[in-house]
Amino acid sequence: AGQDMVSRAGAVTVRKMVETTKALLQGLEGALILRAGFIAGCFHMWRCETTLSRAGRLYQDEFLRHHNEWGSHLEQTRGHYESELQRLQRIAGERKAKFGRQQEMVMDKWLKGDKVGLLTEVWRCWNQYAQTQKGIKSRREKTELMVNEWYQGKAKGAATSGFHAWHNLAVHEKMLR
């Protein structure tokens, strides 16, 4: 009976040791599962954040590319419409001036008679043409001077422009003789 007691006590001790070991292993296994789950959750959260960040960056780049394309298209369209508006305003101004000249001619002819009124209008048109040509020539000479000064330097460019102006004047004088 003594040995039976030892076996019973040994069996109880072994059982308690097995239960304790089992409880410890289950506790460690649970702790490891929690830690692995936490680490896996952190990893997946990081992976989702980086994927979203990359997708956001790609979207932003694509958006900026399209934004720049639309911006340049808008500027091009705006420039086209502004130039068209200027062209139409210039045409309207020319028509208005032409109508004004016609009106002045009719009034001059009516007030001064046909021949004197027509002669006055011809004189006015010739004078306006001469002034326009003078302005065009002046702008052309100024542009030539600026380009020569930029290209050759200030002194040499001015000398070249002066020589060209003198040459053109001499040719013009020769034609008038």
Side-chain angles (χ1 to χ4, degrees):
Q3 214 169 1
D4 200 24
M5 199 55 137
V6 174
S7 320
R8 213 184 257 177
V12 170
T13 305
V14 168
R15 194 177 313 133
K16 283 192 176 195
M17 198 169 75
V18 167
E19 286 176 5
T20 306
T21 305
K22 184 179 171 184
L24 278 174
L25 284 176
Q26 285 177 347
L28 284 174
E29 183 181 19
L32 283 175
I33 288 173
L34 284 175
R35 286 183 182 163
F38 175 74
I39 291 172
C42 289
F43 172 76
H44 287 294
M45 183 64 90
W46 169 81
R47 185 170 165 243
C48 288
E49 287 293 324
T50 56
T51 303
L52 286 173
S53 176
R54 181 173 179 250
R57 206 172 43 250
L58 291 175
Y59 171 79
Q60 187 69 23
D61 292 344
E62 188 73 13
F63 177 79
L64 287 175
R65 187 175 65 81
H66 287 299
H67 182 266
N68 292 338
E69 288 174 4
W70 280 107
S72 65
H73 178 69
L74 176 66
E75 288 301 318
Q76 183 181 22
T77 304
R78 182 180 292 140
H80 170 72
Y81 282 117
E82 285 176 357
S83 65
E84 185 68 15
L85 178 65
Q86 289 174 356
R87 184 183 73 80
L88 292 174
Q89 286 175 341
R90 181 181 45 81
I91 290 171
E94 289 172 358
R95 286 182 183 164
K96 186 176 180 180
K98 183 179 178 182
F99 178 72
R101 287 191 306 269
Q102 287 174 346
Q103 193 176 22
E104 287 176 11
M105 185 177 76
V106 169
M107 291 300 290
D108 283 344
K109 284 172 70 175
W110 180 63
L111 290 174
K112 299 175 183 174
D114 284 344
K115 289 183 180 180
V116 175
L118 185 60
L119 188 59
T120 303
E121 184 59 28
V122 168
W123 177 258
R124 185 180 304 134
C125 288
W126 179 83
N127 190 18
Q128 184 180 9
Y129 174 77
Q131 288 177 355
T132 303
Q133 290 302 313
K134 183 179 176 183
I136 290 171
K137 182 180 175 188
S138 173
R139 286 190 299 275
R140 188 185 77 237
E141 288 173 353
K142 285 178 185 176
T143 303
E144 181 183 353
L145 175 65
M146 287 180 1
V147 168
N148 283 335
E149 285 180 352
W150 171 79
Y151 183 67
Q152 297 175 341
K154 192 164 186 136
K156 192 172 181 180
T160 302
S161 293
F163 176 73
H164 284 287
W166 171 78
H167 176 72
N168 290 338
L169 181 64
V171 169
H172 183 68
E173 290 289 324
K174 187 176 181 180
M175 288 174 53
L176 291 178
R177 288 184 200 158

